[in-house]
Amino acid sequence: MQFAQRLNVIGESVTLAVNAQAAQLRRQGIDVVSFGAGEPDFDTPASIKQIAIDALLAGKTKYEPTAGTPEARRAIVDKLAQFNKLAYSPEQVIVSAGGKHSLYLAMMAVLNTGDEVILPAPYWVSYPAMVKLAGGVPVMVRGRPEKDFKITPEQLAAAITPRTRMFIINSPSNPGGHTYHPHELAALAEVIAPHAGIWVCSDEIYERLIFGEQKTCSWAALDFTRWKDRTITCNCLSKTYAMTGWRIGYTAGPRPLIDAMNKLQSQMTSNITSFCMPAIVEALTNSTLEKEVEKMRSAFEKRGEYMWRRLNAIPGFSCVRPTGAFYAFTGIGGALGRPLGKSKAPAREAVEFCRRVLDEVHVALVPGNDFGFCDHVRLSFATSMENISKGLDRLEGFLKL
Ligand code: PMP
Ligand code: GLU
């Protein structure tokens, strides 16, 4: 069968594929420990669920404004003002079906064929695919593990060409687990600022999952007057409130950009699920939920620290300490090319390594290839301590000489 050529430039999302593989093995009765899922293992807070149930029972089952109800947009505006120090109006906000949809619409709205998009590597798997689907060309700038994967202003400057149209920044970052401090963001901003035609797409979905003394900030908050017309601020409820399945994302930016995204969305998906709109208001305005957000954050911090220490103790592994999100992205270079597992056969790169680990010791890892690093693997620590400990025991067993 013949399909559109645009499908030839992308592959399936590797993160979702690993989740599916692990789920399939579980259905066969195999006890898989999955470090694949990039989603909180906690349940959505009860009051958020109740508001959606009430809305459903009250008959909130019809079309809504494409960009979101006035109440949901107002709640987002207030959250952006209070938490992010960003002064947007409701017309400068659009609600979409998850962070993924928000980012995709933004790229479809601004990119033309051949436009270059600068992506710090390691990058989240879907960025290059989205850029390519929108006709753009991903330009990778490689962060070094010795620098916690953070790119430098010099590297950024060297990647800019007359065709550069967008720079994507994700802090805290998936998969690197690193977080840019406001002064590091400010140094990158100085490089972008003179190039008036470059948009900054700031993916802030892990903003509340930040560890220890680490700080970060919204890109546009570096200097709102300077950045408000050039920044696309993307966020979602998925990670902060354990709502990955709800599919709620939002974007804030200049009115013409939001209008353009609204136009696209109105022809594609219309509004997000109607009875989820009041859940946005509940999540973003009920301050008692802060306790639950903090409970999840501190659990991720403890698990991340534990996983990082154990990974670094494995000969041949080298892992940057996570300062945000819920991923450990470890180098496995020292374990490649040497005897592994029962068969003692070596693995050459991360895809092969992960396949062997899943087959032989039933631990699901995500190979780093689609994040731009074929000698790294990603482990999500959004799973219980018990699972983390069990999975790492198995991994150590697989690596024992
Ligand atoms: N950006 C990053 C960096 C992500 O890790 C993800 C994955 N959840 C998304 C965007 C998409 O989020 P959502 O699940 O809300 O679509
Ligand atoms: N973003 C999450 C991850 O990286 C969820 C999966 C996906 O959307 O790709 O695992």
Side-chain angles (χ1 to χ4, degrees):
M1 258 181 254
Q2 291 270 309
F3 290 101
Q5 280 170 2
R6 70 177 66 87
L7 282 163
N8 300 336
V9 297
I10 62 163
E12 194 193 342
S13 160
V14 69
T15 46
L16 295 182
V18 168
N19 288 352
Q21 270 170 3
Q24 200 191 340
L25 290 176
R26 280 205 191 104
R27 277 196 295 277
Q28 293 167 16
I30 297 173
D31 170 31
V32 179
V33 177
S34 181
F35 294 136
E39 62 178 345
D41 54 324
F42 297 99
D43 198 1
T44 304
S47 72
I48 302 179
K49 289 202 235 177
Q50 193 59 53
I51 293 282
I53 293 166
D54 292 348
L56 183 55
L57 293 177
K60 204 169 172 53
T61 55
K62 307 287 187 229
Y63 292 130
E64 293 285 8
T66 299
T69 58
E71 296 79 15
R73 290 168 101 188
R74 169 50 62 190
I76 293 167
V77 163
D78 291 346
K79 178 265 175 189
L80 289 168
Q82 281 156 25
F83 184 81
N84 305 90
K85 311 281 175 265
L86 300 173
Y88 288 111
S89 65
E91 299 72 36
Q92 293 172 313
V93 165
I94 179 169
V95 181
S96 306
K100 206 175 231 175
H101 189 216
S102 306
L103 290 157
Y104 184 55
L105 285 172
M107 293 187 208
M108 291 297 280
V110 304
L111 298 181
N112 278 313
T113 305
D115 284 347
E116 292 177 0
V117 177
I118 299 179
L119 294 180
Y123 43 79
W124 177 48
V125 277
S126 294
Y127 296 146
M130 290 177 181
V131 168
K132 288 189 237 169
L133 285 172
V137 179
V139 174
M140 317 307 189
V141 176
R142 208 174 161 81
R144 298 215 314 270
E146 310 82 79
K147 293 206 172 288
D148 293 348
F149 297 121
K150 293 179 203 175
I151 64 161
T152 62
E154 295 72 28
Q155 284 180 291
L156 180 58
I160 294 174
T161 76
R163 305 223 58 163
T164 307
R165 183 90 168 116
M166 187 188 279
F167 169 54
I168 301 184
I169 182 88
N170 175 217
S171 170
S173 168
N174 174 8
H178 56 289
T179 309
Y180 287 84
H181 188 277
H183 69 69
E184 292 166 327
L185 292 175
L188 297 177
E190 286 312 312
V191 176
I192 300 282
H195 303 274
I198 302 181
W199 287 93
V200 176
C201 179
S202 182
D203 179 347
E204 303 180 0
I205 77 166
Y206 295 103
E207 66 181 357
R208 302 300 304 273
L209 305 180
I210 194 162
F211 310 142
E213 298 299 302
Q214 180 67 51
K215 302 236 170 330
T216 195
C217 70
S218 286
W219 181 279
L222 289 169
D223 180 345
F224 193 63
T225 312
R226 191 185 203 187
W227 288 106
K228 66 181 189 328
D229 291 331
R230 297 177 55 186
T231 308
I232 306 168
T233 304
C234 286
N235 213 322
C236 65
L237 268 52
S238 305
K239 315 287 170 169
T240 304
Y241 300 99
M243 293 175 72
T244 47
W246 292 64
R247 314 308 304 134
I248 301 173
Y250 57 90
T251 308
R255 174 87 190 258
L257 168 82
I258 299 302
D259 287 349
M261 290 174 65
N262 190 55
K263 187 154 92 175
L264 284 170
Q265 183 162 300
S266 75
Q267 297 289 13
M268 292 178 177
T269 54
S270 310
N271 55 279
I272 65 156
T273 305
S274 53
F275 47 86
C276 291
M277 299 284 186
I280 300 176
V281 180
E282 171 65 11
L284 298 182
T285 62
N286 180 349
S287 56
T288 65
L289 289 171
E290 281 301 306
K291 274 202 303 290
E292 305 221 26
V293 171
E294 173 53 23
K295 199 176 80 201
M296 295 189 266
R297 187 208 65 78
S298 69
F300 293 136
E301 178 163 2
K302 283 195 199 83
R303 296 163 179 187
E305 194 71 9
Y306 173 75
M307 183 181 262
W308 169 70
R309 285 188 196 286
R310 283 202 58 183
L311 286 171
N312 263 337
I314 296 177
F317 276 28
S318 166
C319 188
V320 168
R321 186 180 197 163
T323 51
F326 35 59
Y327 306 103
F329 195 53
T330 183
I332 57 164
L336 298 174
R338 69 166 176 81
L340 293 171
K342 278 206 192 78
S343 66
K344 301 282 174 224
R348 283 177 302 270
E349 44 67 65
V351 171
E352 199 183 348
F353 181 87
C354 293
R355 188 180 47 71
R356 293 270 311 281
V357 171
L358 186 60
D359 287 350
E360 295 182 31
V361 292
H362 306 144
V363 176
L365 311 168
V366 187
N369 304 53
D370 286 6
F371 302 112
F373 281 62
C374 60
D375 59 355
H376 278 63
V377 298
R378 190 191 79 175
L379 294 87
S380 159
F381 45 84
T383 185
S384 68
M385 266 301 191
E386 195 190 344
N387 270 340
I388 294 174
S389 156
K390 180 159 112 181
L392 291 174
D393 287 348
R394 290 185 189 182
L395 196 56
E396 275 172 4
F398 177 77
L399 287 153
K400 219 168 237 145
L401 285 169

